[in-house]
Amino acid sequence: MPNPSRPRAAVLTATAVLLSSLVAGCGDGSQDEDLTAQKLSWKDCPAPSQSEGGGNAPSPLPDGDEWQCATMQAPLDWSEPEGDRIGVALIRARTSGPDDRRIGSLLFNFGGPGGSGITTLPAFGEDYATLRTRYDLVSFDPRGVGRSAGVRCQNDEQLDAYFQQDMTPDDAAERSTLLDNTKEFNAACEKKSKKILPYVRTTDAARDMDLMRQVLGDDKLHYFGISYGTELGGVYAHLFPKNVGRAVFDAVVDPTQTPEQGALGQARGFQLALDNFAEDCTSKTEDCPVGDTPQEVKDRIATLLKTLDAEPIPGVFPRELTQTAATNGIAQSLYSKDFWEYLTEGLQQAYDGDGSILMLLSDSMNGRNENGEYSNITAANVSVNCADDRARYSVAQVERRLPEFRAASPLFGDFLAWGLVGCTDWAVPGAADHPDVSAAGSAPILVVGNTGDPATPYEGARKMVAALGQGVGVELTYEGQGHGAYDSKNKCVRAAVDGYLLNGRPPTAGTVCS
């Protein structure tokens, strides 16, 4: 499951695996002159590192052009720009159109926090072919992620054990074990990554983006943020409103929420997505193989999870499918309607004692590849969340709120509520109760909400529009399923987003696509 304090984007690129087995303050855009003058050395991209998820070097683009990679130098601490520096890894595809039609660079952040843009942009490159006609497509590993001073915590063997633990404790002994394991994970992060942990806040990444804008040679930052990327984009717009060009926020984080409110919203969102899955399965002309009615589908899943809590079943050898892994796998499948068929098949197998598909789905969520190696998405996710969020929750606070979480989602409520203790023993204090995204003076930002989004519930889009300020946010609604709207390939959404990014014409506020 995603960390409840900030939802992260689905790891959609794992489908193949499943099938086969800045100076402090509100700046004016000025940066250290030496850094802004740096020249990037673009070269053919190597294969992604293990911390980025591993795999092969990105394949050439459909027109034969190669993806190019470079490293930008940025201050470790933006309050001391003359001090230590870190490398921020970038990837780009040069525009396919004529130079006289080029607008500039279009910078992508696909979510997390903790997702690697170096691996994700090439995986979805064809989806943005139209945008490439007028932009260089650019993405990056934000600081703390992948090759950009990536946070390191536990090793692969330790992470296997960490993700197998019971994350919905039923008694004092199980609660104690959960807290001990969380403390051990956090201590490992501090031991291995102490130098970078204070400097992975979203405000730091936003300042990196403004440096990136200048190094790329752009007067304005043209931006496409998805999931957590909408929060990052909102923070950037707050810090540098005059530097915002054409920007799109898709799968929108509610910037007004505390971690507790965000987790509760996710509980409702994932429950809604599960309800929609159950309704879809049982409404088809053929029999639904996992239940005859929507309620039976959900009841059977609840029974499976309760059984796994006491007696796990074989998963991906030598690991077993635990209640935690099954819950995680179910949640991963709800990020996209395209994954619903895998959920159906995974449930069928699990009812017959084979937990392999649900475990592969869970591995996808956790950044584990088929070789048993983990990316650093979990380490980065926790590090950014805990550095951003001031709140620290006790066991007593979680227990008081459990009834409300269970009412929001009988299946996911406990899981998300107990996730709130993840930052309790973190070494770095959190920055704020919630991000400031007020952006008076910014160019219009297109804000796209999906009514069936489980991880960033639809209501967050309207809250983002209000928080950006009058005349900035332009709301677009997609009546669909899954996390995000643009990659649903809905023609109405595509036309609205492309129309703004390519031609500078946002749709009428309040437009609805279905």
Side-chain angles (χ1 to χ4, degrees), residues 114-182:
S116 168
I118 302 295
T119 57
T120 307
L121 181 58
F124 290 98
E126 291 189 27
D127 288 347
Y128 306 113
T130 301
L131 299 175
R132 187 176 165 234
T133 60
R134 299 201 67 190
Y135 290 99
D136 295 345
L137 306 184
V138 180
S139 192
F140 63 109
D141 286 354
R143 55 173 59 215
V145 177
R147 281 195 291 244
S148 299
V151 175
R152 297 172 58 243
C153 297
Q154 294 183 323
N155 62 31
D156 294 335
E157 183 179 357
Q158 291 169 323
L159 286 172
D160 272 346
Y162 182 78
F163 288 121
Q164 291 291 89
Q165 69 174 310
D166 188 343
M167 294 188 180
T168 56
D170 299 314
D171 55 39
E174 290 183 352
R175 286 194 296 275
S176 179
T177 299
L178 174 62
L179 293 174
D180 289 344
N181 290 341
T182 302

Side-chain angles (χ1 to χ4, degrees), residues 15 25 29 36 71 83 92 114 201 245 255 260 311 358 414 429 460:
T15 304
T36 61
T71 300
R92 76 173 179 183
R201 295 188 171 100
E260 178 185 336
E311 188 175 352
L358 289 183
D414 277 52

Side-chain angles (χ1 to χ4, degrees), residues 273-461:
L274 185 68
D275 293 345
N276 291 337
F277 160 76
E279 181 67 35
D280 179 78
C281 187
T282 56
S283 66
K284 294 179 178 176
T285 53
E286 68 271 19
D287 290 338
C288 176
V290 291
D292 294 330
T293 66
Q295 191 58 51
E296 184 180 4
V297 171
K298 291 181 285 186
D299 288 345
R300 291 191 71 195
I301 293 173
T303 299
L304 171 67
L305 294 177
K306 185 175 181 180
T307 300
L308 292 173
D309 191 25
E311 188 175 352
I313 61 176
V316 176
F317 184 81
R319 296 172 300 146
E320 294 182 314
L321 182 73
T322 62
Q323 180 193 48
T324 294
T327 305
N328 215 31
I330 293 167
Q332 170 69 337
S333 69
L334 297 175
Y335 271 94
S336 171
K337 193 172 182 178
D338 292 341
F339 279 10
W340 286 5
E341 61 181 291
Y342 307 131
L343 176 56
T344 299
E345 187 177 354
L347 290 171
Q348 283 182 278
Q349 287 193 1
Y351 295 146
D352 292 334
D354 178 358
S356 56
I357 289 180
L358 289 183
M359 177 150 275
L360 285 170
L361 284 161
S362 180
D363 287 346
S364 169
M365 177 74 86
N366 295 329
R368 186 186 196 272
N369 67 24
E370 57 190 340
N371 297 323
E373 299 170 337
Y374 286 87
S375 73
N376 88 318
I377 191 168
T378 294
N381 182 272
V382 173
S383 300
V384 175
N385 287 333
C386 295
D388 275 350
D389 296 325
R390 181 178 294 154
R392 299 292 186 257
Y393 295 94
S394 67
V395 168
Q397 287 174 308
V398 171
E399 290 179 327
R400 282 197 298 270
R401 298 305 301 275
L402 276 174
E404 187 174 1
F405 274 82
R406 288 167 177 163
S409 175
L411 238 67
F412 302 110
D414 277 52
F415 204 110
L416 285 158
W418 283 108
L420 292 170
V421 301
C423 294
T424 299
D425 297 301
W426 195 249
V428 176
D433 294 326
H434 54 78
D436 191 344
V437 301
S438 58
S442 168
I445 296 173
L446 181 56
V447 179
V448 188
N450 181 354
T451 58
D453 197 316
T456 50
Y458 170 67
E459 294 77 14

Side-chain angles (χ1 to χ4, degrees), residues 446-447 458 462 465 473-478 507-513:
L446 181 56
V447 179
Y458 170 67
R462 190 154 296 170
V465 168
V474 178
E475 186 176 5
L476 172 70
T477 295
Y478 170 51
T508 302
T511 296
V512 177
C513 294

